[in-house]
Amino acid sequence: MINREKPGEHLGTGAEKEVYTDPNNRDRVVAYFREHVDETPNQIKARFYLTKILHLLMPKNIPDMHWAGSDPHAYQTDKIEVDENHKIMQEYVDLAREAHHKKYKINEELSDKIFEIGDKVFSDNDVIAFKDRVKEIGVNSLDHASINFSKNSEGNVQYLDSFYAWKFRNDGSPKLFFDFDILEAAIKELPEKDQKSASNFLRRLKELYEEEKKQVF
């Protein structure tokens, strides 16, 4: 695992996480959750398995995840070289956070530029097709914020967040944000080697979900 007290280079800040390069592997990043994002150990493991499956289904769009843990509450994925639009949006997010703490206003020109980029991302046909594909395979935990999307030099959409598997209702029961049957059908379309790996991940997801449901009673 990794020491949160000694992270690598800071790459970005979001509503839930801080992202750094892995100091032990420059080709990977570590996303640390903020303290207010509370997940059970089973939720954290489920996030790992669900994201692994989706990487196998959409390897050009979803970076591979290598581990996820609760101490610290974080996960590691492949590092993605983000495009200029994403860099500008990240600059804006960092400035907005600083402006909030120091109580000053951000340049209006930059604010207007961010809205322009956001509109461009939301209307991008490749981004729309990616979102449709995620929905098509039964997953509903995609974060639609424009800062979560980038494009590589080959024009492939890169999704920069991970996927949670369930949240808890007020009565404490877990609510799934994906469909086991639809996901299983998609997995059956994979090449044999990937199909075997994804099926194992899905089996583990089912086990974790059943374990979580038992905790309610």
Side-chain angles (χ1 to χ4, degrees):
M1 204 59 75
I2 197 166
N3 185 350
R4 184 166 188 167
E5 302 303 318
K6 297 180 180 180
E9 176 190 358
H10 181 260
L11 297 177
T13 300
E16 292 186 337
K17 298 178 287 292
E18 296 277 354
V19 180
Y20 296 84
T21 57
D22 185 334
N24 302 314
N25 190 331
R26 304 294 290 182
D27 293 328
R28 298 179 183 178
V29 300
V30 178
Y32 295 97
F33 284 89
R34 299 183 187 282
E35 292 181 1
H36 70 267
V37 181
D38 187 24
E39 289 187 325
T40 67
N42 281 345
Q43 278 179 296
I44 297 166
K45 294 173 187 176
R47 183 187 289 271
F48 171 79
Y49 289 119
L50 181 56
T51 304
K52 292 288 286 187
I53 292 170
L54 295 179
H55 168 70
L56 288 170
L57 290 170
M58 291 177 280
K60 293 182 178 181
N61 309 115
I62 298 173
D64 196 11
M65 184 177 286
H66 300 282
W67 57 255
S70 55
D71 187 20
H73 186 188
Y75 61 80
Q76 181 200 65
T77 66
D78 288 337
K79 184 179 180 181
I80 298 299
E81 292 301 324
V82 296
D83 60 21
E84 288 304 312
N85 285 337
H86 179 85
K87 290 177 182 178
I88 294 171
M89 285 190 287
Q90 186 60 64
E91 177 188 1
Y92 176 81
V93 169
D94 293 339
L95 285 174
R97 192 174 298 278
E98 180 182 350
H100 175 75
H101 290 303
K102 296 184 178 180
K103 298 182 179 179
Y104 67 82
K105 291 184 178 181
I106 297 177
N107 182 288
E108 288 187 9
E109 184 177 342
L110 178 56
S111 297
D112 291 341
K113 180 67 173 177
I114 291 303
F115 283 114
E116 179 185 327
I117 291 174
D119 288 341
K120 182 179 179 181
V121 171
F122 287 133
S123 62
D124 186 291
N125 288 331
D126 295 327
V127 173
I128 293 171
F130 169 76
K131 291 180 179 181
D132 287 345
R133 176 57 178 159
V134 172
K135 186 176 181 179
E136 181 182 89
I137 58 178
V139 177
N140 300 303
S141 60
L142 185 143
D143 188 331
H144 293 264
S146 57
I147 198 170
N148 288 325
F149 299 90
S150 181
K151 275 193 167 182
N152 63 16
S153 58
E154 297 176 347
N156 296 312
V157 173
Q158 308 278 278
Y159 182 64
L160 306 177
D161 204 351
S162 59
F163 295 83
Y164 56 85
W166 59 77
K167 299 284 187 179
F168 291 100
R169 300 182 179 92
N170 291 335
D171 64 1
S173 62
K175 172 182 169 56
L176 277 176
F177 280 80
F178 69 96
D179 187 295
F180 276 113
D181 293 335
I182 297 175
L183 199 55
E184 185 173 18
I187 288 171
K188 289 180 179 178
E189 299 298 321
L190 288 170
E192 183 176 351
K193 180 181 177 181
D194 290 343
Q195 185 179 146
K196 183 177 180 180
S197 295
S199 294
N200 286 334
F201 294 145
L202 188 65
R203 174 184 54 79
R204 186 65 182 123
L205 263 178
K206 290 179 179 178
E207 293 171 351
L208 290 169
Y209 180 58
E210 292 303 318
E211 288 175 17
E212 204 80 291
K213 286 197 297 184
K214 292 177 182 177
Q215 303 303 316
V216 180
F217 305 102

